[in-house]
Amino acid sequence: MFNTFITQVMVYTTAYALASLGIVIAGRAGIFNVAGEGIMLASASAGFIVGYLTGNWFIGFLAGALLGALFGLILICLHETFHVSQFILGICLVIFGAGFSDLLYKLLIGIRLSPPIAPQAPVVHWQLIANIPVLSALINQNIIVYFMYMSIAASYWFFYRTKLGLETRAIGENPKAADVVGVNVIKRRYYSTIIGAALIGIAGAYLPLVVTGTYSPNISAGRGFMAIGIAIFSSWKPQRVILGAFLFAAIEVFSYRLQVTSTQIPYQFILMLPFISVLLVMIIFKKQVEYPGSIGKTYARE
Amino acid sequence: MQIQYSKNTFVSLRKSLLVYGVAVSAALVSISLVIALLGFNVPAALRTLVTTSFKSSFGLQETLKKTVTLIFTTYAFSIPFRIKFFNIGGMGQMLVGGTAAAVVGLSLAGFNLTFIVLAPLMISAGIVAGALYAFIAGYLQARHNINPIISTIMLNFVALLLVNFVSTTDPWRDPIEGHPMTKVLPAAGRLPFFFRGVPASIIFAAGAVILVYIFMKKSKPGFEINAVGYNLHAAQTYGINFFKTILLTFLLAGGLAGLGGALEVMNIHGKLIEGFELTSGAQYGIFGILTSLICAGEPLGVPIAALFMAVMLVGADALQRTMQIPVEAVFLTQALMVILLVVMRQRMGRK
C-alpha cells in the first residue's frame, strides 16, 4: 500500500521536477521563465501527436523537447533583442501555448470516439530489489524517471563543480560584474533559457506519454505554474528541486486518494488541497527563500 | 522582489493611435497567415471574421455581451499592472463574484424580495466577494512577498472547484440538467435586456469606465497608484504607502471582476453555470490580459480595445460555425499580435 503510494508519487514527481529544473536553470542566469505552463501544454500536444503518429515514444519526447527549446528561443530572443519584460513575454507565451496545443490536436488528430493511446515509455524492472519497499518504488520506474535523476545530478554538478556553472550563477546574481570579468552574458542566457525550456518541454511530453497515455485539453492543469512555486521554494537550487517536487506530488496523489475514500468532505474541497498548499508552503518557507539577485530584470550594457 | 522593466510602457496618444493601427493590421496579417497555413480561403475567412458582428442584430448583441464582460476582466488585469503586478486571477475573481451573487439570490428566493432590494444585494455580494478574493493575492504579495502570478493562478483553480461545488450541491443545484448548473434565479434577481437583446449590464460597464477614469486621473489614491507605477522610490520618499497601494489596486481589480461575474450570472445566463467564464476557446480572464496589453492599461482605451476583441471573438465563433476553422486559430493569433505590439511599443518608447 505504502509502496504503491510512493511509486505513484514518483510518477508525478518527475513531471514537477523536470519542469521546475527547467525554470531553475533559466533563473540561475537571471531569466524568470513564467511560460512553463504554455510550454508544457504545447509540448504535451506535440509530443503526444508525434509519438502517436510515429509509434515511438522516444521521438515523441524529442519533439516535446525541441518545441520547448523553440519556445525558450522565442522568449530569450525577444527579451534580449527588444528588452521586453520577461513577465509579459512569459504570460503571452502561456496564452500562445494554450491555444497552440488544442489547435494542433484538433487539426492533426481531430475528434475520436475513443481516445488514441500513445506508446508508453518503457519501465525498468529489477527483480533483485522488487520486494524492498521504497527503494523499489524509487528505482523500478519508467525510463524518464532515470532521466530526471540524471538531470538533477548533472545540473548540481554543473552549477557547483564547474567554472562554467559558477560563471552562470554569477550572471544570475550580478550580470554587470560577470560582464566586466569577460563572461558573455547574452550568450549564456540564451543557452540557459533554451536548455531549461527543453526540459520543461520534456516534462510536458511526459504527461501524455507516461502519466495519462493520451492527450486531453488543459492536460498540465496548472503544473507549469506550480513548478514556479517549487523553484522558489527550493531557492533556485537544483538539488532541492527534487524535494519540493516530491512534496507537491505527494500532496497531489494524497488528494486523489482522499477523494476516493472520504465521503464526509465534498471532493471539490479535497481537490483544492494542492493549490492551497502551494500558497501555504510559500508562506511558511518565505524566510528561507533566496532569489538570484538579478532575476527578472532586464540587462543592458549601457 | 520588485519587477522591473523600461518606464516607457505608457506612450503618448499620437503614438498610441499609430500603434493601434499597426496592431489591427498585424492581427489581420497574422490571422491571414495562420488561415492560409491551415489551408482555408483567406478572403472569405477575413470577411466573416470582421463583419459578423455588424451584419445581424444577433451578431451585434453577442458582441455587446462579450464587450461588457471583457471590460471588467481587462480592468482586473490593468489596474494592478499600473504598479507592475500581474493579476492573472481575473477569471477566479469573476467566478467567485458570480458564485456569490447566485448563492445570495437563490438563498433569498423564498423571501419574495422586490427587484430594488434583491438585485443590489446580489451585485454587492459579487463585488465584495471578488474584491476579497483578489485581496488575498494582494495581501500575499504585500505581506509575504509571494508573486501574484503564482498566487492568483492557484486561486483560479480553487475558484473553478468552488463553482463546481455550488452548481452540483443541494440546495442550489438544478437536479434535472446534466451539465453542472444552479436553479434559475428569482425574477427579481435578474437584469433585463433592452431592445430584445441588449444586456442591461452595459449600463454598469459604462459606469465602470467613467468611474475608473475619474478615479485613476482625478483622485488622490489614483494619483498615488500612478506615482508608484512610474517611480516606486520617489513615491515612497514622498510618503506614499506602498503596502496600502498594493492592497487598493487588488481590491479594485477584484471588485470589478466580481461585478463582471455577477452581471454575467444575473443578466446573460440567469443562473450559475459551470463554464460561464469561457468564450471562444478560452476564458474571459485570459482575453482580459490580452486586451489590457493591447491598450496598455489606458482607462479610456479599455472599452475600445474590449470592443475590438469582442468583434474578433464573435468572428472567431462564426468562423468555427461556418468554415470549421478552430476558434483556437484566432485565439493564437491574438497572442501573437500582442507580442508584436509589446515589442513595437517598447521600441518606440526607447527612441
Side-chain angles (χ1 to χ4, degrees):
Chain A
M1 177 69 187
F2 180 68
N3 211 38
T4 49
F5 177 74
I6 301 286
T7 310
Q8 242 178 341
V9 170
M10 280 317 292
V11 168
Y12 284 97
T13 302
T14 305
Y16 281 117
L18 284 173
S20 191
L21 188 64
I23 291 166
V24 166
I25 289 174
R28 275 293 163 197
I31 302 294
F32 203 143
N33 183 358
V34 293
E37 179 82 0
I39 298 174
M40 278 179 88
L41 281 170
S43 292
S45 175
F48 169 76
I49 290 167
V50 171
Y52 174 70
L53 293 179
T54 59
N56 187 326
W57 61 274
F58 184 76
I59 301 178
F61 272 103
L62 207 62
L66 282 177
L67 188 66
L70 184 67
F71 268 71
L73 178 66
I74 295 171
L75 174 71
I76 189 67
C77 180
L78 289 179
H79 175 66
E80 293 299 345
T81 316
F82 301 110
H83 297 244
V84 183
S85 155
Q86 299 167 11
F87 297 93
I88 294 181
L89 282 174
I91 297 296
C92 286
L93 285 178
V94 169
I95 298 171
F96 183 81
F100 180 80
S101 58
D102 284 349
L103 181 66
L104 202 65
Y105 187 81
K106 270 190 188 173
L107 288 176
L108 294 179
I109 306 288
I111 296 161
R112 300 272 174 95
L113 282 175
S114 59
I117 299 295
Q120 300 282 300
V123 174
V124 183
H125 188 82
W126 302 87
Q127 196 53 49
L128 194 65
I129 56 155
N131 292 320
I132 307 172
V134 181
L135 189 67
S136 66
L138 297 179
I139 304 289
N140 281 351
Q141 282 284 5
N142 67 73
I143 204 150
I144 307 299
V145 177
Y146 285 79
F147 175 75
M148 182 268 290
Y149 290 145
M150 272 160 34
S151 324
I152 298 271
S155 45
Y156 174 76
W157 172 80
F158 173 77
F159 281 118
Y160 293 96
R161 294 284 181 273
T162 67
K163 183 161 171 290
L164 271 177
L166 180 70
E167 285 170 0
T168 308
R169 279 193 293 141
I171 294 170
E173 294 300 336
N174 190 339
K176 193 162 243 168
D179 205 351
V180 167
V181 296
V183 178
N184 190 337
V185 173
I186 308 291
K187 199 171 101 184
R188 295 291 178 78
R189 282 187 158 186
Y190 265 88
Y191 286 148
S192 293
T193 312
I194 290 170
I195 292 170
L199 281 176
I200 303 172
I202 292 172
Y206 177 85
L207 296 172
L209 291 176
V210 174
V211 180
T212 60
T214 186
Y215 174 82
S216 53
N218 200 15
I219 189 171
S220 71
R223 293 194 184 90
F225 289 111
M226 287 158 108
I228 303 173
I230 296 169
I232 295 172
F233 164 76
S234 56
S235 289
W236 311 86
K237 292 187 168 70
Q239 68 275 27
R240 286 196 201 161
V241 161
I242 192 164
L243 295 178
F246 188 86
L247 176 67
F248 286 117
I251 294 169
E252 187 175 342
V253 173
F254 174 72
S255 73
Y256 289 150
R257 296 208 159 186
L258 197 63
Q259 185 196 347
V260 179
T261 54
S262 165
T263 50
Q264 303 291 317
I265 316 164
Y267 72 92
Q268 291 95 344
F269 291 95
I270 296 170
L271 290 181
M272 287 176 190
L273 258 179
F275 307 116
I276 294 174
S277 55
V278 170
L279 298 178
L280 288 181
V281 163
M282 287 177 78
I283 294 172
I284 295 166
F285 290 96
K286 67 164 177 167
K287 287 264 159 43
Q288 282 79 24
V289 168
E290 299 159 19
Y291 286 86
S294 79
I295 192 158
K297 290 176 190 163
T298 306
Y299 174 66
R301 259 193 167 168
E302 70 267 20
Chain B
M1 185 199 57
Q2 178 62 31
I3 298 164
Q4 286 189 347
Y5 53 92
S6 165
K7 285 165 196 141
N8 299 309
T9 312
F10 313 103
V11 290
S12 68
L13 182 70
R14 194 170 48 81
K15 276 183 180 172
S16 351
L17 282 178
L18 183 62
V19 170
Y20 285 137
V22 179
V24 175
S25 347
L28 294 181
V29 169
S30 49
I31 194 139
S32 312
L33 270 176
V34 171
I35 291 170
L37 273 175
L38 301 181
F40 294 101
N41 181 352
V42 175
L46 280 184
R47 211 174 314 123
T48 310
L49 186 69
V50 178
T51 60
T52 308
S53 289
F54 309 105
K55 265 201 307 218
S56 65
S57 67
F58 172 77
L60 205 60
Q61 288 159 9
E62 283 301 301
T63 311
L64 287 177
K65 283 177 192 170
K66 286 181 198 272
T67 309
V68 167
T69 312
L70 276 173
I71 286 175
F72 289 112
T73 51
T74 305
Y75 281 132
F77 181 80
S78 70
I79 294 174
F81 191 56
R82 278 265 151 184
I83 57 168
K84 300 180 174 52
F85 289 116
F86 288 68
N87 178 21
I88 317 294
M91 172 183 113
Q93 290 138 23
M94 179 180 155
L95 287 172
V96 170
T99 310
V103 167
V104 167
L106 290 172
S107 308
L108 299 179
F111 295 97
N112 288 323
L113 297 171
T114 54
F115 179 78
I116 304 292
V117 181
L118 187 60
L121 263 179
M122 289 166 69
I123 290 174
S124 330
I127 295 174
V128 170
L132 288 180
Y133 208 58
F135 180 83
I136 301 174
Y139 182 78
L140 287 175
Q141 166 64 50
R143 180 80 179 75
H144 296 291
N145 200 17
I146 295 176
N147 196 320
I149 292 181
I150 299 169
S151 59
T152 52
I153 292 208
M154 296 301 131
L155 292 171
N156 276 351
F157 286 105
V158 174
L160 280 172
L161 289 163
L162 188 73
V163 169
N164 183 270
F165 171 71
V166 169
S167 52
T168 57
T169 311
D170 289 321
W172 307 293
R173 81 185 171 105
D174 188 334
I176 301 156
E177 294 286 346
H179 185 76
M181 62 177 77
T182 64
K183 289 177 221 155
V184 179
L185 293 170
R190 273 179 279 153
L191 297 177
F193 288 90
F194 305 130
F195 312 114
R196 275 184 284 144
V198 178
S201 56
I202 201 164
I203 299 170
F204 290 88
V209 170
I210 296 166
L211 285 179
V212 170
Y213 178 77
I214 294 173
F215 179 81
M216 294 301 282
K217 298 285 177 182
K218 310 282 179 208
S219 77
K220 187 162 172 283
F223 166 77
E224 292 184 350
I225 291 172
N226 283 320
V228 167
Y230 283 120
N231 190 334
L232 175 63
H233 291 293
Q236 275 178 325
T237 314
Y238 176 76
I240 293 171
N241 189 332
F242 187 40
F243 189 88
K244 276 188 191 157
T245 312
I246 296 176
L247 295 183
L248 178 67
T249 54
F250 274 88
L251 276 173
L252 260 176
L256 287 165
L259 175 59
L263 293 174
E264 185 87 359
V265 164
M266 294 169 65
N267 201 177
I268 311 291
H269 301 293
K271 54 187 158 185
L272 180 70
I273 302 180
E274 191 180 63
F276 80 88
E277 79 283 5
L278 296 173
T279 177
S280 314
Q283 28 104 352
Y284 277 112
I286 290 288
F287 286 119
I289 297 171
L290 291 176
T291 314
S292 181
L293 289 173
I294 290 175
C295 64
E298 268 307 318
L300 285 186
V302 169
I304 303 169
L307 181 67
F308 167 72
M309 185 62 90
V311 168
M312 299 294 266
L313 293 184
V314 170
D317 288 342
L319 281 184
Q320 168 138 316
R321 239 182 3 254
T322 59
M323 295 176 75
Q324 276 83 46
I325 299 177
V327 277
E328 284 83 4
V330 177
F331 172 40
L332 193 115
T333 37
Q334 257 145 19
L336 268 181
M337 175 190 86
V338 169
I339 294 178
L340 215 100
L341 247 181
V342 172
V343 167
M344 263 174 36
R345 202 173 277 143
Q346 195 79 14
R347 278 194 74 84
M348 287 170 66
R350 269 203 294 171
K351 275 175 198 161

